[in-house]
Amino acid sequence: MKRLRMVLWVIVALAAAGLVFLHFRPADDRQTKEPVTMVSFGGPFTLTGADGKPFSSARLNGKPYAIFFGFTNCPDVCPTTLARLVRLRQQIGKGDDAFEIVFVTVDPERDGPAEVGRYADMLGSPVIGLTGSPTQIEQVKKQFGIYSKKVPDEHGGYSVDHTATVLLFDRNGQFSSTIALEEQDAPALAKLKRLTT
């Protein structure tokens, strides 16, 4: 019985010591997380349009726009995402002028001006298709925080893994929001409406 009492007192003493330590430890130990900072996306760029001529981002000045990075051989995500943007733009009720849709290839080796032009035309609504040299594309990807990587396939060719998020920019060229691949239409449409007001 005496031994049991002793063990209990030791446990109580250890618990009290732990509470004192938690109360008096330095504040820096309590906050291990870094403060959240806003990430900046975008910036001026010049790529090549579907007509083979330089396309400067200055042509987007004064217009809200949605920009998506993909590739013309993409079997599902890219055509689905672009078609969805076209559909949501129509739902806003301001026609094709509601906001610009910009498609930038992450596969410049296969996607020249003609390829991005045909791809954009298939959507049946104005979409700006852009390409460039591998160096130009890498620079723009870096500016917009886009990831892409070639993945060999079983036929000796390759596909491309890439960021599937749409980035939204306001009339002043400032980053506004994103639309995720799995995001429902209602919140996506709300973001686009805010962008166009």
Side-chain angles (χ1 to χ4, degrees):
M1 194 71 167
K2 196 171 185 183
R3 181 178 284 177
L4 180 60
R5 267 197 223 118
M6 201 175 202
V7 169
L8 289 173
W9 278 114
V10 168
I11 291 171
V12 169
L14 287 173
L19 287 172
V20 169
F21 171 75
L22 288 173
H23 182 72
F24 289 105
R25 71 180 172 170
D28 289 341
D29 288 344
R30 296 179 204 175
Q31 296 177 352
T32 56
K33 291 186 179 177
E34 297 272 328
V36 177
T37 55
M38 278 299 290
V39 178
S40 176
F41 292 108
F45 63 84
T46 299
L47 290 171
T48 302
D51 58 3
K53 297 177 182 176
F55 180 96
S56 167
S57 57
R59 288 171 61 178
L60 298 168
N61 289 350
K63 305 172 185 176
Y65 65 94
I67 187 167
F68 178 74
F69 290 74
F71 63 112
T72 65
N73 287 289
C74 179
D76 42 31
V77 171
C78 300
T80 302
T81 299
L82 290 169
R84 181 188 189 202
L85 285 172
V86 167
R87 177 170 49 79
L88 291 174
R89 182 168 64 182
Q90 291 167 349
Q91 289 178 23
I92 290 175
K94 297 180 181 179
D96 296 333
D97 296 327
F99 62 91
E100 299 285 354
I101 299 173
V102 182
F103 168 70
V104 180
T105 184
V106 293
D107 187 15
E109 290 87 352
R110 293 187 295 193
D111 291 344
E115 286 76 23
V116 295
R118 279 196 300 270
Y119 196 71
D121 287 345
M122 285 192 313
L123 295 158
S125 184
V127 172
I128 299 168
L130 299 175
T131 186
S133 70
T135 302
Q136 287 176 312
I137 296 297
E138 282 303 316
Q139 178 58 38
V140 175
K141 279 168 46 185
K142 187 176 179 182
Q143 285 175 230
F144 285 83
I146 300 299
Y147 162 85
S148 74
K149 182 181 179 181
K150 289 182 182 179
V151 180
D153 62 28
E154 63 273 16
H155 307 295
Y158 66 89
S159 184
V160 184
D161 282 346
H162 62 91
T163 302
T165 303
V166 176
L167 304 176
L168 305 179
F169 289 81
D170 65 20
R171 286 180 169 79
N172 301 313
Q174 297 299 309
F175 173 68
S176 172
S177 188
T178 63
I179 298 175
L181 178 64
E182 60 282 344
E183 192 167 340
Q184 296 295 312
D185 276 0
L189 187 59
K191 290 176 184 178
L192 290 168
K193 283 181 176 177
R194 280 196 301 274
L195 192 71
T196 60
T197 53

